[in-house]
Every structure is written in structure tokens, then in C-alpha cells.
Amino acid sequence: QQQHHIEVRSKLRPRASKETIEFRNFSTPTILESFEAIVLFSLIHESPGLKGIELSHTTIDILCADKLASALQSNTTRLTALHLTDAALSPQAFRVICAALTSNEALSELSLVSCSLGDHSISVLSDLLTANRGLTKLNLSDNGITDFGAVKLASALTTNPTVTTVVMRQNNLTIQGKAVLEQCRKALSPVAFTFD
């Protein structure tokens, strides 16, 4: 166990040139073990030059989400980007992560591509966007979001002055849903949406 712990720590340690921790497996989804989560997220505090975490094709259970949330709740880190591309997130895990980000003003980029969020997760995301004052870029591509979710998202973005870019590729939006999003903050600083 100790040897495995050291190997994982070495594997996850970011290279200074990249300033990013990458934990991904493109062939098969990877379950992030609890001890790996502990190692991974302790590195957030130990690496002052760390700016990004990429957890692609990874299953993040509630225990791992708690560890991530603990790290994200601190504004003392320089972490500015969190990419959870194709991550398997339970509704509970997603809620925990979003709750941690409500008070985080350091993270500016959040990517949730292909996380199967659907419309049902937009309410949780809306609570985050209403409170957060750090995010500037949000990627929600390929999440099965419909016009119903777009209306809720638009409402949340109306109250958020910092988000400037939202990527919505490969969702289930009609022309009407796209229009609702594009009009949501015309009077204030506009949001640049990407749909295709």
C-alpha cells in the first residue's frame, strides 16, 4: 500500500512547465480511489505553481468529492482551472463540488464536458453561479441540456457579473433556447456563447 501510495504521488505530481495535474485514462473510465484522492488534493496545497487539475474519464464518488471540495473551499491556492471532462459525477458529488465553489474566487475556469448533467443539475449549477464571483469561463458541452435548462441557466447568469464565456456545444437546444441564453445579459456585460 505504501509503495502504491508513493507511485501514485509520483504519477500525479505536476511538471513545473505544465502547472497542471492530469489524472485520466482514455481507454476505460478510472475510479479515483480514496487514497489517490487524498494524495491528489494534498498536492493542491503543496504545489504553489499549480494552476489546473484535469480529471478526465474518472469516476468521482462522494468521498472523493468531499476531498476536492475541501481543497476548493480554500482561496489560498492558485488553482484557476478545473476540468472534469467525461467524469462520472453522482448528483450528490456534483452538489458537494458546486457548494464548495460558491465562495471560491480563485477558480476562473470550470469544464464539465460530457458529465451527463442534464437539466436536473442546472438548478445546482445555478446556485453556484448566483453566488460565485470568480468564474469567467464555463464549458457545459455535451450534457443533454434542453431549452428548459437553458432558461434556468440564463436566469442565473443574469445575476452573475463575472462569467464572460459559456460553451454549450452538442446540447439539445433549439433556436429558442439559444436565443434565451444570448439575451440573458445584453444590458450588462455580455456573455459569449458557443453552440456549434
Side-chain angles (χ1 to χ4, degrees), residues 67-100:
K67 294 294 180 186
L68 178 56
S70 296
L72 293 173
Q73 283 173 333
S74 171
N75 284 313
T76 59
T77 68
R78 297 180 183 177
L79 191 69
T80 59
L82 176 61
H83 292 224
L84 302 177
T85 300
D86 203 21
L89 290 165
S90 68
Q92 295 85 355
F94 184 64
R95 192 174 298 113
V96 165
I97 292 170
C98 285

Side-chain angles (χ1 to χ4, degrees), residues 58-148:
T58 304
T59 297
I60 302 174
D61 63 16
I62 189 64
L63 295 176
C64 294
D66 281 336
K67 294 294 180 186
L68 178 56
S70 296
L72 293 173
Q73 283 173 333
S74 171
N75 284 313
T76 59
T77 68
R78 297 180 183 177
L79 191 69
T80 59
L82 176 61
H83 292 224
L84 302 177
T85 300
D86 203 21
L89 290 165
S90 68
Q92 295 85 355
F94 184 64
R95 192 174 298 113
V96 165
I97 292 170
C98 285
L101 285 173
T102 56
S103 59
N104 183 303
E105 296 179 356
L107 197 80
S108 60
E109 182 176 339
L110 178 61
S111 179
L112 297 165
V113 177
S114 303
C115 288
S116 302
L117 298 180
D119 292 334
H120 61 278
S121 297
I122 297 298
S123 294
V124 176
L125 188 63
S126 294
D127 291 340
L128 161 62
L129 293 173
T130 300
N132 182 276
R133 293 299 179 264
L135 287 174
T136 60
K137 183 176 181 180
L138 182 63
N139 194 334
L140 298 173
S141 296
D142 192 25
N143 274 296
I145 298 169
T146 70
D147 291 356
F148 180 75

Side-chain angles (χ1 to χ4, degrees), residues 126-176:
S126 294
D127 291 340
L128 161 62
L129 293 173
T130 300
N132 182 276
R133 293 299 179 264
L135 287 174
T136 60
K137 183 176 181 180
L138 182 63
N139 194 334
L140 298 173
S141 296
D142 192 25
N143 274 296
I145 298 169
T146 70
D147 291 356
F148 180 75
V151 170
K152 290 194 285 187
L153 181 60
S155 177
L157 286 170
T158 301
T159 64
N160 182 298
T162 58
V163 174
T164 57
T165 304
V166 180
V167 183
M168 296 287 291
R169 293 188 177 102
Q170 297 178 321
N171 279 294
N172 301 326
L173 299 173
T174 67
I175 294 174
Q176 289 79 11

